Amino acid sequence: MPRCASQTPPSERAQDRYIGLEAEQVLERFMVNGWPDDARFEQVIAGLIKRARGEGRKVRAFGEMVALLWARGDQGATVRLEHLWNGLCQTDTFSLFCAYPRAGFTRDLSKSIREICAAHSRVLAT
């Protein structure tokens, strides 16, 4: 069961067993003119994954950044970010979870849903 940052023991945070970040601030580190920059993404996110892994720990990441882009209506940047995450998953082993607000789906709902589903290995609808 997920815990919020305030419930995470300080020792877990100190050992990088939990790394809580503000998604908007992380986005700012690799977005260029409203689009994810491949090299910056790799540097920022791969660095965080390595830090979280520590000495061989399993890593679970929650991709709130895609939800932020999606809610803004930036579908193209969202799909590109999904592809960057998927590329990183090919070179590193970790579990990635994300969620999308319904507000970001366009009038062509089926097309929007297909694009997002195509970028994921498993989809759970709620």
Side-chain angles (χ1 to χ4, degrees):
M1 182 170 183
R3 298 182 284 200
C4 69
S6 64
Q7 295 174 325
T8 303
S11 62
E12 287 190 21
R13 282 183 261 142
Q15 297 170 10
D16 286 336
R17 291 181 169 278
Y18 174 87
I19 302 172
L21 303 167
E22 291 293 326
E24 192 66 56
Q25 292 174 356
V26 178
L27 269 174
E28 290 173 6
R29 293 174 60 189
F30 64 79
M31 296 291 286
V32 176
N33 297 322
W35 195 256
D37 179 88
D38 296 22
R40 288 182 183 188
F41 173 85
E42 177 72 24
Q43 179 184 15
V44 171
I45 303 301
L48 286 168
I49 299 294
K50 181 178 179 180
R51 180 178 151 200
R53 183 165 321 291
E55 296 180 19
R57 292 186 295 258
K58 291 183 179 181
V59 175
R60 290 176 202 89
F62 178 72
E64 182 184 2
M65 295 175 288
V66 292
L68 293 175
L69 292 174
W70 190 255
R72 291 181 197 155
D74 293 337
Q75 285 89 1
T78 303
V79 172
R80 179 64 191 144
L81 182 53
E82 285 285 2
H83 288 285
L84 290 174
W85 275 109
N86 288 340
L88 189 57
C89 287
Q90 300 298 315
T91 61
D92 204 341
T93 304
F94 61 95
S95 297
L96 176 63
F97 302 90
C98 56
Y100 284 83
R102 291 182 186 199
F105 289 97
T106 63
R107 281 183 269 152
D108 186 354
L109 184 61
S110 61
K111 181 181 178 197
S112 295
I113 292 172
R114 279 194 311 274
E115 285 180 336
I116 294 305
C117 290
H120 292 85
S121 60
R122 186 172 179 201
V123 177
L124 303 172
T126 59

